[in-house]
């Protein structure tokens, strides 16, 4: 299970049970958060290393806890090299730089594409399989995200 799949799985479990649960990664440790409280952790340093000692969350069902535990275990048993997230791409728009030197990127919101500086609240990155959805004339400018940050 890749990191992005783990994050999606935990988020989906939260949605299924109407719980605010997500994964936050800090210093190579993936914390499963229930609101602002860490309830479990899986490390990126060693396979099978996890801490579920705080997994019991007051007022939650056994099936909720079981699904979380299953996802955590599935991720923890995944070989470290297989956890790597798929690369994401960003599209810097050539010749579009603001007067203060900020590069403009292809951005998507509410069905529209436009130029905008980096903004974490807007869709500006795509997985390789999703590049086909951006206008064809911009695809040639797509670069792997780590190249621009």
């Amino acid at each position: 299970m890749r990191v992005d799949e783990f994050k999606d799985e935990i988020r989906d479990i939260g949605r299924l049970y109407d719980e605010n649960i997500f994964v936050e990664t800090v210093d190579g440790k993936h914390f499963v958060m229930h609101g602002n409280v860490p309830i479990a952790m899986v490390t990126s340093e060693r396979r099978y290393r996890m801490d579920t000692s705080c997994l019991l969350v007051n007022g939650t069902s056994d099936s909720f806890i079981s699904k979380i535990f299953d996802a955590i275990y599935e991720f923890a048993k995944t070989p470290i090299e297989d956890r790597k997230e798929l690369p994401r791409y960003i599209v810097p728009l050539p010749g579009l730089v603001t007067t203060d030197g900020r590069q403009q990127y292809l951005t998507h919101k509410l069905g529209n594409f436009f130029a905008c500086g980096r903004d974490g609240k807007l869709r500006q990155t795509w997985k390789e399989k999703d590049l086909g959805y951006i206008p064809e004339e911009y695809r040639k400018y797509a670069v792997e995200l780590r190249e621009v940050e």
Side-chain angles (χ1 to χ4, degrees), residues 131-144:
L131 286 174
Y133 296 108
I134 67 172
E136 188 174 348
E137 58 269 24
Y138 297 111
R139 291 181 202 158
K140 62 185 172 192
Y141 302 119
V143 294
E144 221 176 298

Side-chain angles (χ1 to χ4, degrees), residues 37-106:
V37 178
I39 59 172
M41 183 274 301
V42 180
T43 182
S44 288
E45 298 165 0
R46 285 189 61 193
R47 189 174 180 194
Y48 299 112
R49 180 157 298 171
M50 60 185 177
D51 180 356
T52 59
S53 60
C54 299
L55 190 54
L56 298 175
V57 178
N58 290 334
T60 59
S61 69
D62 286 345
S63 63
F64 171 72
I65 292 170
S66 178
K67 284 187 183 298
I68 293 171
F69 184 81
D70 289 346
I72 291 167
Y73 180 71
E74 186 67 29
F75 183 61
K77 75 178 190 176
T78 302
I80 302 298
E81 61 275 7
D82 294 344
R83 295 182 189 177
K84 184 179 176 192
E85 290 186 64
L86 294 175
R88 295 195 65 84
Y89 295 87
I90 191 164
V91 182
L93 297 169
L96 287 178
V97 179
T98 60
T99 55
D100 64 353
R102 285 186 50 191
Q103 174 66 53
Q104 300 296 288
Y105 299 93
L106 185 66

Side-chain angles (χ1 to χ4, degrees), residues 15-41:
R15 288 179 179 160
L16 181 65
Y17 288 88
D18 198 28
E19 296 283 346
N20 180 20
I21 189 165
F22 58 94
V23 176
E24 188 172 292
T25 303
V26 178
D27 295 330
K29 294 180 175 138
H30 307 284
F31 293 93
V32 178
M33 305 293 290
H34 188 259
N36 62 354
V37 178
I39 59 172
M41 183 274 301

